[in-house]
């Protein structure tokens, strides 16, 4: 919706205007929402959100300084949604002290459905 104070920006001026508002040190490299709010207080063009998202995603200072918003990777474990596709998991455990048979590794098998462990 075009408001009275907003100016419709032609294609050639959109990115330069974004850069003028986003890149100066005093602008602070704001995030998508705050940048959009600042832009919309003055100008308008269709697809403004998508353009701003793209430009901020490729803005090097933003990518260097903004914290990662993804959860950290978890520990390796059996995934419940994968269990139905994997009948069992095989691995080796060791090295351990030599057994009477001279073996140092154990062959481990886990039934993914019941989590039954067999060595
Ligand atoms: Zn930036």
């Amino acid at each position: 919706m075009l408001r009275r104070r907003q100016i419709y920006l032609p294609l050639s001026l959109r990115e330069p205007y974004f850069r003028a508002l986003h890149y100066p040190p005093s602008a602070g490299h704001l995030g998508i929402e705050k940048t959009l709010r600042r832009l919309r207080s003055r100008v308008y063009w269709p697809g403004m959100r998508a353009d701003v998202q793209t430009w901020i995603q490729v803005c090097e200072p933003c990518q260097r300084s903004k914290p990662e918003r993804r959860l950290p990777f978890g520990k390796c474990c059996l995934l419940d949604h994968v269990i139905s596709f994997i009948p069992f998991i095989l691995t080796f455990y060791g090295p351990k002290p030599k057994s009477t048979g001279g073996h140092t590794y154990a062959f481990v098998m886990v039934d993914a459905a019941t989590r039954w462990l067999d060595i």
Side-chain angles (χ1 to χ4, degrees), residues 21-41:
L21 277 180
H22 184 77
Y23 278 78
S26 61
H29 287 271
L30 298 176
I32 293 168
E33 295 304 323
K34 288 182 181 174
T35 301
L36 272 171
R37 204 174 309 138
R38 184 178 281 183
L39 284 169
R40 284 177 175 153
S41 69

Side-chain angles (χ1 to χ4, degrees), residues 31-79:
I32 293 168
E33 295 304 323
K34 288 182 181 174
T35 301
L36 272 171
R37 204 174 309 138
R38 184 178 281 183
L39 284 169
R40 284 177 175 153
S41 69
R42 299 168 188 157
V43 296
Y44 168 81
W45 69 84
M48 190 180 220
R49 175 177 288 276
D51 289 344
V52 168
Q53 282 176 331
T54 302
W55 294 329
I56 288 180
Q57 284 171 351
V58 297
C59 173
E60 188 186 334
C62 282
Q63 299 314 307
R64 265 192 283 119
S65 64
K66 304 286 177 169
E68 182 69 42
R69 302 192 72 181
R70 179 175 36 185
L71 291 172
F73 293 108
K75 295 177 184 173
C76 183
C77 60
L78 295 176
L79 301 174

